[in-house]
Amino acid sequence: MHLAEKAFKRKVSALGERPRFAGKLPFPLVHVDTGHNFPEVIQFRDERIKEMGERLIVGHLEDSMAKGTIRLAHPLESRNGHQTVTLLETIEEHRFDCMIGGARRDEEKARAKERIFSHRDSFGQWQPKEQRPELWNLFNTRIKPGEHFRAFPISNWTELDVWLYIQREQIPLPGIYYTHKRDIYRRKGLLVPVTDVTPPDASDVVETVDVRFRTVGDMTCTCPVESLASTTADIVAETLQVTVSERGATRMDDRTSEASMERRKKEGYF
């Protein structure tokens, strides 16, 4: 979102200040809300949109459930994989030709296969073996009616690149990216946050731990890591020492199988 502002707006902040921009983006911002997002993130989203004065389109998974296009096996089932349906319905409703996202190749094996301009067919599906070549960063952006692209401008960035950029540009983030105390219980090597949708079992031991989130998604599948990093400089130093990507270290849904992300992306997952 910050890169979009730099590309399409006029910078009005003075040197050394947190960047502020004037003008409007030539496209709306889109969020797929599973209904199981961390409250701090939704609050931050709404405050930033108000500050920016931009148009926000929210696709609600609850609406898809009401229409019957999504059916949960049980109330506490993870909604993360189901948001593909809501995303595709939002794209079809607003007839988007291209959706720009922040996915990176170093996050996960399936993402490493994907091009910067990722073609999706009329069903919103991704075909890994039919991707278009991007030699010398030349992009074939032709699409047929009903098709669209997913564009990933920072595909080649690493987690360290992202945090160095955040530090340099003074980009505001939700507080849960930095150290804070949170009740967790340990399961399969992960720190599972205690929430209404991830309650501990009787056998789980609840602890209050200093944690931060390296990546943020649905509460049912996103776990924090132990950390005392309270500033971007602290996180940069911490990131220099990690050997597992943020998704690999914190996402329960990516551990179901080696091919879980690729299968979901073929079905239309972002």
Side-chain angles (χ1 to χ4, degrees):
M1 195 164 69
H2 181 80
L3 286 167
E5 286 197 288
K6 288 190 74 173
F8 294 103
K9 293 185 175 184
R10 179 170 54 88
K11 189 175 181 181
V12 295
S13 55
L15 187 66
E17 292 182 344
R18 182 170 73 83
R20 291 178 290 106
F21 301 90
K24 291 282 187 180
L25 295 176
F27 43 75
L29 302 171
V30 178
H31 179 224
V32 176
D33 189 345
T34 65
H36 286 170
N37 290 291
F38 289 94
E40 303 97 319
V41 176
I42 298 300
Q43 179 182 349
F44 178 85
R45 178 199 72 184
D46 293 341
E47 289 173 354
R48 283 290 289 129
I49 293 298
K50 183 177 180 181
E51 178 186 348
M52 295 169 65
E54 294 295 342
R55 177 188 172 202
L56 173 67
I57 294 172
V58 180
H60 293 280
L61 192 137
E62 300 276 357
D63 293 339
S64 300
M65 292 169 60
K67 290 190 294 186
T69 51
I70 291 177
R71 296 183 181 181
L72 302 181
H74 56 83
L76 295 184
E77 178 186 1
S78 175
R79 298 182 177 185
N80 190 57
H82 291 293
Q83 64 183 314
T84 294
V85 174
T86 306
L87 172 63
L88 293 177
E89 290 175 347
T90 303
I91 291 172
E92 183 177 3
E93 178 184 353
H94 296 277
R95 303 181 69 83
F96 292 130
D97 295 316
C98 183
M99 304 287 286
I100 305 172
R104 309 189 321 275
R105 292 193 173 109
D106 76 329
E107 288 182 86
E108 205 274 339
K109 294 177 182 178
R111 294 197 188 281
K113 297 180 180 180
E114 198 160 25
R115 302 288 193 262
I116 293 175
F117 267 77
S118 178
H119 176 262
R120 302 300 171 107
D121 63 23
S122 57
F123 296 100
Q125 297 174 329
W126 174 58
Q127 303 298 336
K129 295 181 180 180
E130 297 180 7
Q131 296 185 93
R132 300 173 180 181
E134 295 182 345
L135 302 175
W136 306 291
N137 285 338
L138 297 175
F139 307 107
N140 178 355
T141 59
R142 295 177 182 176
I143 55 174
K144 299 175 183 176
E147 298 178 342
H148 70 277
F149 280 103
R150 311 281 174 85
F152 305 108
I154 62 171
S155 284
N156 296 328
W157 290 28
T158 64
E159 184 181 9
L160 179 61
D161 292 331
V162 170
W163 278 106
L164 287 170
Y165 190 74
I166 289 169
Q167 182 182 35
R168 190 189 81 185
E169 298 288 315
Q170 303 177 55
I171 301 172
L173 295 174
I176 63 176
Y177 279 101
Y178 301 95
T179 187
H180 60 285
K181 293 189 180 297
R182 187 175 291 265
D183 290 343
I184 60 96
Y185 55 93
R186 300 175 190 270
R187 184 174 293 173
K188 297 180 179 179
L190 297 174
L191 310 183
V192 183
V194 177
T195 70
D196 292 340
V197 294
T198 53
D201 295 336
S203 60
D204 292 318
V205 178
V206 176
E207 309 171 54
T208 302
V209 180
D210 291 305
V211 300
R212 72 176 181 89
F213 286 85
R214 289 174 65 188
T215 180
V216 175
D218 192 286
M219 287 191 295
T220 58
C221 64
T222 308
C223 297
V225 295
E226 292 192 62
S227 175
L228 293 173
S230 59
T231 66
T232 51
D234 292 339
I235 294 176
V236 167
E238 199 174 82
T239 304
L240 283 167
Q241 302 179 47
V242 299
T243 57
V244 181
S245 74
E246 67 266 43
R247 287 194 72 96
T250 65
R251 296 300 287 268
M252 289 183 279
D253 56 327
D254 289 347
R255 297 192 173 196
T256 55
S257 76
E258 285 289 319
S260 59
M261 173 62 83
E262 182 163 334
R263 174 181 53 78
R264 280 181 286 153
K265 289 185 73 63
K266 287 179 180 179
E267 295 170 353
Y269 188 79
F270 213 99

